Amino acid sequence: SALGGLGGGELSRTAKQIGEVSVAKTEVDEMKSAQLEKISGLVHNINSSIRQRKARLAPQIKELRTLRAQYKEVEDRYTAKKKENQANQANFEARVGKLAGEER
């Protein structure tokens, strides 16, 4: 027969099992959907929190950049003056040494 020798009882059991599997699959799909919605909500909350923190930190970051630029200017001036001072000190010490040598 076209049913491959399956009796009516076996077909009924198989149809029942297919129905049970279908119901279980639907339940699993609904749970997955609920989990995805939870995850999506969490991602939205995290992104919102990040945006709020960025907005709160933006003025401080801008000020920090300005201060870093000012610091660099001061540091560059300090380094130049330090080199100038070291050269003057070396020149002074050489002159003192020369004068000390002339005294002898």
Side-chain angles (χ1 to χ4, degrees), residues 4-5 12 28 32 46 50 59 61 74 81 85-86 91 93 103:
S12 175
V28 168
K32 281 183 0 184
I46 290 169
I50 289 171
I61 290 170
V74 170
K81 292 288 184 183
N85 186 35
Q86 287 171 339
N91 189 13
E93 288 172 358
E103 277 186 0

Side-chain angles (χ1 to χ4, degrees), residues 51-63:
R51 278 192 301 275
Q52 289 173 356
R53 288 180 184 184
K54 277 185 177 179
R56 192 177 71 237
L57 291 174
Q60 294 171 332
I61 290 170
K62 185 177 179 181
E63 182 181 356

